[in-house]
Amino acid sequence: MKHNNYIIVLTIVLSAVIPFKKASGAIKMPALFADHMVLQRNKPVPVWGWANPGEKVFVSFDGQSKQTIASSDGKWMVKLDPLQVGKPREMTITGDNTILIKDILVGEVWVCSGQSSMEWALFKCIGADDAIANSNNPDLRIFNVPHNDTEEPVDNLTANWVYATPKTVKNISAVGYWFLSKLQKQLGVPVGFIEAAYGGTVIEAWISRQVLESIPNRDKYTYIDSIKKEYNARVEKMRPVQEKYDHDRDSAKRYKLPPPPVPAGLVGPIRGPSMLFNGEIYPLIPFAISGVAWYQGESSAYVGRANSYAALLPALVKQWRTDWNEDKLPFIIFQITPNRKPQTDPNEKSGIALVQEAELKTCLQTPYTALVTTMDVAETNVHYLNKEPVGERAMKAALAIAYHKDVEYTGPLFKSVKLNGNTATVDFTHLGGGLTMKGDTLLGFTMAGADKRFYFANAVIKGNTVVVTCPEVTYPVSVRYGWADYPRVNLFNKEGLPASPFRTDDWPVK
């Protein structure tokens, strides 16, 4: 008994003279902050993570030293002063423990996001063999965000930075790779390539719930509620399959067996509103970036749903800019390509054309955006294979809107129309060296009178305009170009960039 009393007294004395130490390893960093990362140059760089509440945190990088105290919920953030390109460097984050991040470059960082048009893998494309074989580039570094659809926003994800090599680029976004590998060579600085894409997803999945609910005249956009219902119905239908798969997967892991195949029904195109924003975009914010490349719209390109894209795309651009606290954040928007059945009816109701129109108008009405036109690479299959020219155009678009270079990056865009008798004269912006066509006859134009009935029309290039006539239309009211799911079109500027589809009317398409 005396022996036990002695131990108790000794413990009390030692606790009085030896200060209490918090649990080690309290500081943690998001997956974005890891070896081989690229930090954005020429603007403040947020660095953040987690620690014990009240813990002092010190961040040292490139001669700078910043400090802060973790808040009551354990979060902390500092901002580094604008950085310059240079040799690889190290970052030290110190509190109760120390984290060392090695081989950090400073350069340009771009987020490439969207659905399968963005996600489509490099190895599946024309020219892939040469591109992959020549992909070794320590100045191009890739951070591929895994598929992660969540009901609520998450702070972190599981991924890592890797050099561009034949092994790492093979399955990366083809459009993103050609865009950013060309940009890296053009600028001569390191480039960070963050891919956050998910095939088959609708734009609503990439916008926060608060923004979706605040869209004006929401009663006109019942697509939000219908997609949510469709998603919930699929989840409920697949619940038994999901539970069995989870059980089999956990059992395989426990007994060190190969994992079971994922049932096809668990991999579907529907992702509920906001779920990809929550799981793939939210964890990236506010990582300093140069701009965003957005390639999505095929899952929205159906009459009825497509009408909503004109409200949703500007909402996405505005929200991401607000979340990144950059109202001039460059956005490159890839226009979806024609596909499905070739056009035979001049009065075709096209969901693809409606989405293309929304993309065009968003770029015309929103500063610091650029439209990449894609009419010339189209195939009947949505996944066209000639993606290198599209990546090249994105590189030129970035040079123009993000780096202020005088370069033509898009095809002719509709500016205005003048109606005179039986003739319509269409004027364009982004003429480049002038209008031209591929072939002997200009294709893709239709014309309608007051009866709103369209006919295939005759069109000729005159200077910097296109003059349109049609024997069946005595007094034209509207002209359309490329207004179909898969039209025959051949109008370009002399830089070889295809014209965007357009219409001069605003008649409802239902």
Side-chain angles (χ1 to χ4, degrees):
M1 185 70 179
K2 289 183 180 180
H3 178 71
N4 290 339
N5 287 339
Y6 173 78
I7 294 175
I8 293 172
V9 172
L10 180 61
T11 302
I12 294 173
V13 172
L14 289 175
S15 65
V17 298
I18 299 176
F20 173 75
K21 185 174 178 58
K22 296 177 184 177
S24 62
I27 292 181
K28 293 180 174 60
M29 302 294 293
L32 275 165
F33 292 89
D35 293 350
H36 319 306
M37 69 187 299
V38 180
L39 295 177
Q40 178 63 41
R41 64 173 174 169
N42 298 336
K43 63 175 64 174
V45 174
V47 179
W48 72 93
W50 303 273
N52 286 320
E55 185 175 349
K56 289 184 179 180
V57 179
F58 301 85
V59 177
S60 299
F61 181 74
D62 195 30
Q64 298 186 43
S65 182
K66 305 288 183 177
Q67 68 180 70
T68 188
I69 297 175
S71 61
S72 59
D73 60 1
K75 297 179 180 179
W76 59 265
M77 178 183 292
V78 299
K79 284 190 177 181
L80 298 175
D81 300 330
L83 304 167
Q84 302 301 315
V85 175
K87 64 183 181 180
R89 282 154 274 186
E90 295 182 346
M91 179 184 293
T92 304
I93 305 96
T94 304
D96 291 343
N97 60 302
T98 297
I99 295 176
L100 178 64
I101 304 175
K102 298 177 287 186
D103 188 32
I104 300 172
L105 293 178
V106 174
E108 296 295 317
V109 181
W110 283 81
V111 172
C112 295
S113 188
Q115 61 177 113
S116 58
S117 43
M118 178 60 79
E119 190 177 28
W120 193 255
L122 178 60
F123 82 91
K124 300 178 182 180
C125 297
I126 295 170
D129 289 345
D130 286 343
I132 293 169
N134 296 300
S135 63
N136 279 310
N137 186 354
D139 284 336
L140 177 62
R141 302 187 177 185
I142 302 165
F143 186 88
N144 192 6
V145 177
H147 289 175
N148 191 31
D149 46 315
T150 61
E151 289 283 359
E152 299 296 332
V154 296
D155 289 330
N156 204 0
L157 40 79
T158 303
N160 56 289
W161 288 92
V162 295
Y163 295 169
T165 67
K167 182 178 180 180
T168 61
V169 306
K170 178 181 178 181
N171 290 292
I172 206 70
S173 161
V175 165
Y177 173 75
W178 268 308
F179 162 36
L180 292 175
S181 62
K182 291 175 183 292
L183 184 67
Q184 192 281 316
K185 292 178 174 63
Q186 186 72 29
L187 297 177
V189 303
V191 167
F193 173 4
I194 299 175
E195 179 180 339
Y198 200 143
T201 53
V202 293
I203 190 172
E204 292 90 336
W206 298 92
I207 303 172
S208 74
R209 184 177 301 132
Q210 293 84 350
V211 170
L212 288 176
E213 292 174 350
S214 69
I215 292 176
N217 302 316
R218 186 170 180 266
D219 58 315
K220 296 181 180 179
Y221 303 118
T222 56
Y223 51 86
I224 298 173
D225 298 321
S226 67
I227 289 171
K228 184 67 173 176
K229 290 177 182 177
E230 191 175 351
Y231 169 76
N232 288 341
R234 172 171 291 183
V235 169
E236 198 58 36
K237 180 180 179 181
M238 297 305 297
R239 190 179 303 280
V241 179
Q242 179 75 60
E243 290 174 351
K244 183 179 185 304
Y245 169 72
D246 291 344
H247 175 271
D248 293 347
R249 181 192 57 196
D250 293 344
S251 296
K253 184 177 181 180
R254 186 180 310 116
Y255 294 107
K256 298 181 180 180
L257 298 172
V262 179
L266 296 185
V267 184
I270 300 300
R271 290 295 177 270
S274 308
M275 293 183 70
L276 276 303
F277 172 79
N278 292 340
E280 296 194 24
I281 301 303
Y282 187 85
L284 304 177
I285 300 167
F287 194 77
I289 60 175
S290 181
V292 173
W294 175 254
Y295 204 166
Q296 189 276 337
E298 294 85 355
S299 291
S300 304
Y302 298 91
V303 174
R305 181 168 289 177
N307 284 302
S308 68
Y309 212 78
L312 289 167
L313 183 56
L316 180 143
V317 173
K318 182 178 180 181
Q319 186 210 323
W320 288 22
R321 285 177 169 176
T322 299
D323 289 342
W324 259 282
N325 196 29
E326 289 196 51
D327 57 2
K328 298 178 181 179
L329 184 68
F331 258 79
I332 297 170
I333 296 172
F334 295 84
Q335 199 168 55
I336 64 171
T337 55
N339 61 86
R340 304 173 190 167
K341 295 181 180 180
Q343 182 183 19
T344 58
D345 179 5
N347 292 282
E348 178 182 329
K349 295 179 179 180
S350 170
I352 288 177
L354 285 170
V355 170
Q356 291 173 325
E357 178 182 58
E359 292 163 334
L360 169 63
K361 287 187 174 181
T362 297
C363 289
L364 292 177
Q365 298 167 4
T366 309
Y368 308 101
T369 59
L371 183 71
V372 173
T373 53
T374 62
M375 298 297 286
D376 57 329
V377 296
E379 301 175 14
T380 52
N381 188 324
V382 62
H383 294 303
Y384 65 95
L385 301 182
N386 190 21
K387 287 189 163 53
E388 183 174 6
V390 179
E392 174 90 12
R393 293 166 196 174
M395 181 270 289
K396 291 180 178 178
L399 291 178
I401 66 168
Y403 307 107
H404 315 295
K405 305 293 185 182
D406 185 14
V407 57
E408 186 57 86
Y409 59 86
T410 196
L413 307 182
F414 171 75
K415 180 181 180 182
S416 62
V417 62
K418 293 180 181 178
L419 303 175
N420 184 16
N422 67 345
T423 301
T425 302
V426 183
D427 204 354
F428 299 85
T429 60
H430 291 280
L431 295 165
L435 296 177
T436 188
M437 63 180 174
K438 293 187 177 181
D440 299 326
T441 303
L442 195 53
L443 304 172
F445 285 86
T446 59
M447 179 179 278
D451 62 356
K452 300 183 182 180
R453 181 168 180 79
F454 284 89
Y455 299 87
F456 289 115
N458 303 313
V460 294
I461 296 171
K462 288 192 176 180
N464 290 329
T465 67
V466 171
V467 178
V468 187
T469 57
C470 181
E472 294 86 354
V473 181
T474 305
Y475 297 103
V477 174
S478 174
V479 174
R480 293 180 174 180
Y481 171 75
W483 197 266
D485 285 349
Y486 193 5
R488 294 180 64 199
V489 292
N490 60 349
L491 180 63
F492 291 76
N493 58 28
K494 290 183 179 178
E495 282 70 18
L497 302 170
S500 168
F502 67 88
R503 59 174 173 162
T504 65
D505 65 85
D506 59 357
W507 299 332
V509 179
K510 298 181 180 179

